[in-house]
Amino acid sequence: IVTECDAVEKYGGRIVFTDEITFSSSNLINNNLRIFDPPLREHLNDLRRKGGVEHVLSLIEKVKNYKVLVVGDTIIDDYVYVYPMGKSPKENIIATRYEEDETFAGGVIAVANALASICGSVDVVTVLGAVGSHRDLVESSIKDNVDLTLLERLSAPTTRKQRFIEPTYVKKMFEVYFMDDSPLPPELETQLNDIITARAADYDLVVVTDFGHGMLRSSTIALLVEKAKFLAVNAQSNSANLGYNLITRYPRADYICIDTYEARLAVGDKFKNVVDIVTNDLSKRIDCDKITVTLGSEGCVTFENGRAHEVPAIAGAPIDTVGAGDAFFAVTAPIVASGAAMKYASFIGNIAGGLKIDIIGHRRSVERVSLVKTAKALLK
């Protein structure tokens, strides 16, 4: 409150403390101004009745000393900001004027930084290309409690996704991939597998961020499934791997987190209700007791003990949705590994996703203090 006192006194005001009953402004707002949609308001009230903010904060506190291994693809995210000028008179294209650009270390690096905000130590195993490696950017982007094991793929670039963006409203126009997503050379695959064999069992949990860009082959997946004490997996479907990188590549996991599109692709059903997909289809194709399917602005569906549960989103209008699902996955994985009920883990994950959509690219990661403050404000 020191900053507030200084501001009041600077302009001639005076602070007076009374000894009468005090109230929480967050509590008054949450309970009287009806600022939340009915599903979210009902969900928050249910959480308050069953332990409330103290229980949620204890779950975040519980994982603060966890040792985590993260395995997956590094992605360099290029944001090129351009202003559209109009159609070229001689070509069927829209001409744009370059404004500026910025480059972020994403993929497994972004997930590792989000994990590092709530866990004690995070080790990363990933592959960079020898051509256009962006090693300096990757090494300078990690938090102090993140350690890197970087393998190098010869004659290939580090996967880079260059997005051209209209800056006024951060609207993406199109993107260009720089990548080689063919299988790893046998010697590099063996090197990666040796690291997994030697180290995976030494961690509280192993987090796999599989973006489907050639790093994780069937032999590596088999070792991860065999060696990890607790295995959390996100297998992403994107424009480069559509239909080829399904979560069903993993025969077993302790926790999986995918989005609606990825769930539909995995079970081959375009129209079925997501709750039915999770309960009746996906849970029977993978040996996994804890599943989350994220629904974007509608929140998520969780599966646990044979039952599905819908959890509403906690978010406003997004600035940039890139990395929101990764933030959700990163924050929920250790909390699920700690034994937390899925409805609490997904509530914290929804907070992380809601915080991430207010961040452009990976300018910064979701931090523990923001999770705690938001949880307190919502549950008072």
Side-chain angles (χ1 to χ4, degrees):
I1 199 173
V2 174
T3 304
E4 289 88 342
C5 289
D6 290 344
V8 170
E9 292 170 354
K10 178 180 177 181
Y11 294 98
R14 186 165 60 97
I15 300 291
V16 176
F17 293 95
T18 70
D19 58 2
E20 297 185 9
I21 187 171
T22 60
F23 296 92
S24 163
S25 56
S26 296
N27 178 269
L28 292 171
I29 291 170
N30 290 343
N31 287 285
N32 295 285
L33 297 188
R34 303 295 183 186
I35 61 173
F36 302 121
D37 290 335
L40 178 56
R41 187 165 64 244
E42 188 175 314
H43 183 69
L44 294 174
N45 286 335
D46 181 60
L47 293 178
R48 293 184 189 108
R49 288 191 297 268
K50 298 177 179 177
V53 67
E54 291 80 11
H55 182 62
V56 169
L57 298 186
S58 72
L59 295 177
I60 299 174
E61 180 72 11
K62 191 174 182 179
V63 303
K64 68 177 182 180
N65 295 319
Y66 271 30
K67 183 180 179 183
V68 186
L69 176 66
V70 192
V71 181
D73 304 279
T74 293
I75 298 171
I76 304 302
D77 288 309
D78 249 352
Y79 276 34
V80 182
Y81 300 101
V82 295
Y83 283 104
M85 296 187 297
K87 179 186 176 298
S88 170
K90 297 181 180 180
E91 303 286 350
N92 290 319
I93 58 174
I94 299 298
T96 61
R97 185 183 77 244
Y98 170 83
E99 192 71 17
E100 60 180 336
D101 60 77
E102 54 185 334
T103 303
F104 312 106
V108 72
I109 304 302
V111 170
N113 281 333
L115 277 160
S117 69
I118 62 171
C119 295
S121 64
V122 178
D123 291 347
V124 175
V125 178
T126 189
V127 177
L128 302 184
V131 181
S133 72
H134 293 272
R135 180 183 287 263
D136 290 344
L137 172 66
V138 170
E139 292 179 337
S140 65
S141 297
I142 60 171
K143 293 187 175 181
D144 292 341
N145 57 334
V146 176
D147 288 324
L148 295 173
T149 299
L150 302 176
L151 306 182
E152 186 175 73
R153 182 172 183 170
L154 300 177
S155 303
T158 300
T159 297
R160 177 162 65 99
K161 300 180 181 180
Q162 187 176 61
R163 296 174 176 91
F164 289 81
I165 300 170
E166 190 282 313
T168 304
Y169 297 103
V170 197
K171 297 298 182 184
K172 301 171 187 67
M173 301 170 64
F174 64 95
E175 65 181 328
V176 180
Y177 278 44
F178 300 81
M179 66 186 303
D180 179 355
D181 59 351
S182 60
L184 292 181
E187 64 275 12
L188 190 57
E189 184 177 351
T190 299
Q191 188 179 356
L192 173 61
N193 289 349
D194 288 345
I195 292 172
I196 300 300
T197 300
R199 297 170 59 182
D202 297 334
Y203 297 84
D204 295 298
L205 73 150
V206 176
V207 173
V208 178
T209 60
D210 186 349
F211 291 89
H213 296 326
M215 175 181 171
L216 297 170
R217 309 301 297 166
S218 57
S219 64
T220 307
I221 290 172
L223 286 171
L224 289 164
V225 168
E226 176 188 351
K227 301 294 184 180
K229 292 178 183 176
F230 188 97
L231 181 64
V233 181
N234 169 253
Q236 186 185 103
S237 293
N238 52 53
S239 55
N241 66 34
L242 199 59
Y244 295 101
N245 194 52
L246 304 180
I247 191 64
T248 48
R249 295 177 66 214
Y250 294 79
R252 184 198 70 80
D254 298 290
Y255 173 55
I256 65 173
C257 178
I258 55 178
D259 66 23
T260 309
Y261 196 56
E262 291 154 357
R264 291 192 180 282
L265 284 172
V267 304
D269 195 302
K270 186 177 180 180
F271 299 107
K272 186 182 290 186
N273 182 278
V274 177
V275 172
D276 291 335
I277 286 176
V278 176
T279 306
N280 300 323
D281 300 315
L282 194 59
S283 60
K284 293 179 173 58
R285 300 192 183 200
I286 306 170
D287 181 12
C288 184
D289 293 330
K290 298 179 185 294
I291 301 172
T292 296
V293 175
T294 57
L295 310 174
S297 62
E298 296 179 8
C300 64
V301 172
T302 66
F303 176 83
E304 182 179 29
N305 299 323
R307 297 181 61 186
H309 183 72
E310 297 181 63
V311 181
I314 304 165
I319 296 174
D320 185 6
T321 59
V322 167
D326 298 334
F328 181 105
F329 175 53
V331 167
T332 56
I335 291 173
V336 173
S338 75
M342 291 291 286
K343 71 175 182 178
Y344 289 105
S346 59
F347 170 72
I348 299 170
N350 280 343
I351 292 176
L355 292 169
K356 180 62 187 71
I357 64 173
D358 284 336
I359 301 170
I360 293 178
H362 301 293
R363 286 180 179 173
R364 64 183 190 276
S365 59
V366 173
E367 298 293 339
R368 181 183 187 276
V369 64
S370 298
L371 289 172
V372 169
K373 285 184 176 181
T374 306
K376 286 182 176 179
L378 289 168
L379 294 177
K380 280 186 176 180

